[in-house]
Amino acid sequence: MIVKTKIKDHNIYLNKVALVKLSKRELTLLNLYAYYLEEANDIYRTSLSFKKKLCFLYDSSFQISIQALGEYVRIIYSFCYLDSRFLNDESYNNLNMFSFFEEISSRPLLVKDHFSKRLFNSCKKDYSDDLLSTLESPNYRAKVRFIDELLKNSDLILKDEGSAEDLKSIDILELEAFYNNKIKNLKFSYYTNYDLAPKEYKLSHNFNYELKKRIDIPSEDLYIPNDTNECYINIAVENNLFYGEENYLYGFVLNNLLGGGMNSLLFRIIREKYSLCYSIASKYNSTLGVFFVSLMTDSKNRVKAISLIKDIITSFSFTRAEFEIAKKALINAFISRDDYVFGFVVDASIKEYFNFYLSNEEKINLIAELNYEKALELAKEVKVKLSVSYGGKENE
């Protein structure tokens, strides 16, 4: 798909996007494969030769993004390079870059028809080091435990980065089998902002996958003590506002009002008025129909903070003026998204893969028409379900 943007850019962006159903272990395999392919390939067989080639191509870049959406995992191969129409270089041609991108994104390094042991071991170590470094953060460990509790009765995936525990037991044969069975013949959609792209970039696959909508969120408060002064709290607030349904855009506005910024209820009351936390915010997940509230506080304030958050959400209300301000802030956020090329790629892939899609312009127009009374009615239906507190000493 040729994505028309409002951005005047000297760069051309090529993207291949696919959705695939994976198990949690397979997500770790996919991440390991991304490390493998980003490092070298069957054309540029060492990391050094590949990096030199990218630098030679006017510092172009190649990367793989992995996004866990719940039921599906989205894989995005991205290549960015300088538009040859702005150069006086006959050896450098835009259309040649399309074939170059296809080669480096589809031909992993093989040695005698098998994955390279040397590259596999190097990439597994790099991936393991990155995972272990991430796990050193108590905030991250808190989020991992929260997600595990949230999805303990579900096969959905919300962690993009995979599992350090699974990675330990993965060998080269398993990675190679995963590539051959899951990745090698995967059907991709193609996106670019280049108006003279080859024919495969003008096709639309229209997979029409449907998102799984509901999970059984447990109603409980869990506390995991740890030898830290800070306590990291994550809370799931059920709102039943699901992607593609009639009222789902209200979820964005309600999130802005609840914890979406410094003017939100949670920030003004929990942080500013009562000084019960260092930071607090909420995010809206339209796939699950949930607001995720996260905060960091002293462990001695944990019980009081959770109790007050529950009170605020139980009596969730706002003035008409506050509602209009939240709508305007959201509209401005969608307008600013027009300056972000990658956002167009994600939007275009959503349009292809799912049965429901709104353009930025359509979202802006619909948000402007959202009704205050309806928002109040929906706010009364939100419920605190799961809270997981991580850190601090149990007797505090």
Side-chain angles (χ1 to χ4, degrees):
M1 181 182 294
I2 297 176
V3 182
K4 295 181 180 179
T5 78
K6 300 175 184 177
I7 303 166
K8 295 179 181 179
D9 200 325
H10 289 185
N11 290 323
I12 290 176
Y13 301 85
L14 309 183
N15 298 274
K16 293 166 58 175
V17 183
L19 287 189
V20 60
K21 282 188 175 183
L22 298 177
S23 68
K24 293 176 182 178
R25 184 175 180 85
E26 286 173 334
L27 177 63
T28 303
L29 283 159
L30 178 60
N31 274 277
L32 180 54
Y33 176 71
Y35 273 77
Y36 189 90
L37 192 62
E38 285 181 339
E39 200 66 23
N41 50 69
D42 224 23
I43 302 93
Y44 302 94
R45 298 178 63 83
T46 66
S47 176
L48 181 60
S49 64
F50 188 32
K51 287 178 171 61
K52 279 185 175 180
K53 180 62 177 180
L54 293 175
C55 287
F56 179 75
L57 295 174
Y58 299 93
D59 204 21
S60 58
S61 64
F62 171 69
Q63 66 178 23
I64 302 171
S65 302
I66 296 169
Q67 301 166 347
L69 302 176
E71 189 175 4
Y72 297 95
V73 175
R74 179 161 51 205
I75 312 164
I76 304 177
Y77 294 72
S78 302
F79 180 53
C80 173
Y81 67 94
L82 189 61
D83 191 337
S84 66
R85 290 173 289 189
F86 294 98
L87 295 170
N88 185 22
D89 185 346
E90 294 183 0
S91 67
Y92 184 86
N93 181 282
N94 278 339
L95 291 179
N96 289 343
M97 293 299 98
F98 283 80
S99 57
F100 174 78
F101 174 47
E102 188 59 30
E103 286 183 333
I104 64 174
S105 63
S106 60
R107 293 177 59 182
L109 175 62
L110 299 178
V111 177
K112 296 182 180 180
D113 297 325
H114 295 284
F115 276 29
S116 161
K117 291 182 181 179
R118 176 194 57 80
L119 185 59
F120 170 83
N121 290 333
S122 172
C123 291
K124 183 175 179 179
K125 182 180 184 306
D126 289 345
Y127 180 23
S128 177
D129 289 346
D130 288 345
L131 281 175
L132 293 174
S133 175
T134 304
L135 283 169
E136 289 177 2
S137 163
N139 185 26
Y140 175 77
R141 295 198 301 271
K143 288 188 182 300
V144 168
R145 183 60 186 269
F146 171 70
I147 291 171
D148 287 346
E149 291 295 333
L150 180 74
L151 301 180
K152 64 183 179 182
N153 299 318
S154 167
D155 60 353
L156 300 187
I157 302 173
L158 290 180
K159 294 184 292 187
D160 303 334
E161 63 279 354
S163 161
E165 195 60 36
D166 283 336
L167 181 61
K168 289 178 184 178
S169 60
I170 290 174
D171 60 21
I172 190 170
L173 294 178
E174 186 177 5
L175 180 64
E176 192 172 323
F178 170 76
Y179 166 74
N180 287 322
N181 296 329
K182 288 283 188 175
I183 303 299
K184 188 175 182 179
N185 298 315
L186 198 59
K187 190 175 183 182
F188 286 89
S189 294
Y190 294 80
Y191 305 93
T192 182
N193 61 330
Y194 180 50
D195 52 346
L196 301 175
K199 64 179 181 179
E200 61 264 30
Y201 284 79
K202 300 173 185 178
L203 299 175
S204 181
H205 295 315
N206 291 315
F207 287 101
N208 290 326
Y209 290 137
E210 290 187 4
L211 290 166
K212 183 180 289 183
K213 291 183 177 178
R214 298 188 184 276
I215 60 171
D216 182 18
I217 303 174
S219 296
E220 55 185 319
D221 296 310
L222 295 179
Y223 176 46
I224 301 100
N226 197 276
D227 289 332
T228 59
N229 291 324
E230 295 79 19
C231 183
Y232 300 86
I233 303 172
N234 291 279
I235 301 172
V237 183
E238 192 174 63
N239 57 46
N240 289 317
L241 298 170
F242 295 103
Y243 177 79
E245 295 189 352
E246 181 183 3
N247 295 319
Y248 104 97
L249 287 174
Y250 280 96
F252 292 104
V253 182
L254 292 177
N255 180 68
N256 272 10
L257 290 160
L258 181 62
M262 290 190 293
N263 290 321
S264 65
L265 273 170
L266 293 176
F267 190 91
R268 293 198 323 262
I269 297 174
I270 304 296
R271 187 183 186 280
E272 296 295 296
K273 185 175 180 180
Y274 291 104
S275 300
L276 288 175
C277 65
Y278 303 109
S279 60
I280 186 165
S282 67
K283 292 182 179 180
Y284 169 43
N285 186 307
S286 60
T287 304
L288 302 179
V290 173
F291 298 129
F292 291 132
V293 177
S294 59
L295 64 149
M296 181 176 71
T297 182
D298 284 330
S299 55
K300 65 179 185 292
N301 292 327
R302 176 181 63 87
V303 174
K304 186 175 181 181
I306 293 174
S307 176
L308 189 53
I309 289 169
K310 288 181 176 181
D311 290 343
I312 291 169
I313 292 171
T314 300
S315 58
F316 189 13
S317 64
F318 38 85
T319 66
R320 186 181 297 274
E322 288 170 335
F323 177 68
E324 293 300 327
I325 290 170
K327 282 169 56 177
K328 188 172 183 179
L330 189 59
I331 287 170
N332 288 337
F334 279 116
I335 291 172
S336 67
R337 201 165 186 265
D338 284 345
D339 296 327
Y340 182 44
V341 173
F342 195 71
F344 283 93
V345 174
V346 173
D347 282 352
S349 68
I350 290 173
K351 184 175 183 178
E352 277 203 81
Y353 284 108
F354 301 120
N355 289 320
F356 177 84
Y357 171 78
L358 293 174
S359 68
N360 253 14
E361 185 176 353
E362 288 171 321
K363 287 176 187 172
I364 288 167
N365 291 335
L366 288 170
I367 289 167
E369 297 174 2
L370 295 182
N371 178 269
Y372 170 65
E373 286 75 18
K374 181 63 176 179
L376 280 178
E377 178 185 323
L378 293 171
K380 293 176 182 177
E381 297 176 8
V382 304
K383 298 176 183 177
V384 175
K385 299 286 283 189
L386 171 70
S387 78
V388 178
S389 305
Y390 181 93
K393 298 176 176 58
E394 196 162 8
N395 58 354
E396 289 186 320

